[in-house]
Amino acid sequence: VIKQVLDILKESKMDSKYLELEITESIAMKETGYVIEILNAFKEMGIDISIDDFGTEYSCLKYLKQLPVDRIKIAMPFIQGIDVSVKDEAIAKAIIVLAKSMKLRVIAEGVETASQLSFLSGNMCEEVQGYYYYKPLPVKEIEELLRNGH
């Protein structure tokens, strides 16, 4: 996989600092020795690494401190629970605090409402993704949005 990524970067002439690879929490927590080795190789190439769907699978903090990651992505079920479940809100807050304390960026997945966005910004989560802003769009429509300053 390392060679494949190198080949793609070379072919596309893209600087590796613009690439972020996501690894699911379940993969990150399995075979950690091998995963850490691969992730370290990516980090040496200047690629950012994020853990996707954090909190839904194995969430072993022992491994989190060993993984060379830059970002934790809070899983959508916790975001969807904002304004619905105090437990989901507590988990979202805890993940944000954990990430910030470890000097990691944090992004919330699945933000769909102004209330969710307000809760997250109020708890220092500066990055979100979800339908609140836009549903997935074809490349042409994204390019048009960017051209128009959105």
Side-chain angles (χ1 to χ4, degrees):
V1 73
I2 295 169
K3 183 185 178 328
Q4 192 174 22
V5 170
L6 275 172
D7 290 346
I8 291 168
L9 285 171
K10 185 184 256 183
E11 180 183 321
S12 68
K13 297 178 181 147
M14 184 173 90
D15 190 325
S16 61
K17 71 181 181 183
Y18 297 114
L19 180 61
E20 180 172 324
L21 297 176
E22 293 183 5
I23 184 168
T24 61
E25 183 183 40
S26 58
I27 297 297
M29 302 304 167
K30 290 180 187 173
E31 301 179 40
T32 51
Y34 173 73
V35 169
I36 289 170
E37 184 180 317
I38 299 295
L39 296 181
N40 278 324
F42 287 140
K43 292 300 299 167
E44 287 173 20
M45 295 163 53
I47 297 170
D48 279 357
I49 307 294
S50 63
I51 297 180
D52 193 29
D53 292 333
F54 188 79
T56 58
E57 293 282 335
Y58 302 97
S59 297
C60 183
L61 300 180
K62 173 183 153 194
Y63 295 124
L64 180 60
K65 72 179 188 175
Q66 297 172 349
L67 294 168
V69 298
D70 303 284
R71 178 190 320 259
I72 292 175
K73 297 181 84 175
I74 304 172
M76 187 187 312
F78 303 121
I79 304 309
Q80 297 300 305
I82 293 171
D83 285 339
V84 176
S85 164
V86 294
K87 290 181 180 180
D88 284 330
E89 291 175 0
I91 290 169
K93 282 183 196 177
I95 293 171
I96 294 166
V97 168
L98 173 67
K100 297 284 184 176
S101 298
M102 294 179 72
K103 308 288 189 251
L104 301 173
R105 295 186 314 272
V106 63
I107 186 167
E109 296 182 296
V111 176
E112 295 181 354
T113 68
S115 179
Q116 292 166 346
L117 181 62
S118 175
F119 174 89
L120 292 162
S121 347
N123 285 284
M124 298 188 330
C125 179
E126 297 94 7
E127 296 181 60
V128 300
Q129 65 185 56
Y131 288 179
Y132 179 73
Y133 291 107
Y134 292 100
K135 294 189 179 192
L137 298 170
V139 173
K140 296 278 185 204
E141 289 182 41
I142 292 172
E143 289 171 349
E144 185 64 29
L145 284 171
L146 294 173
R147 270 194 285 283
N148 293 327
H150 290 274

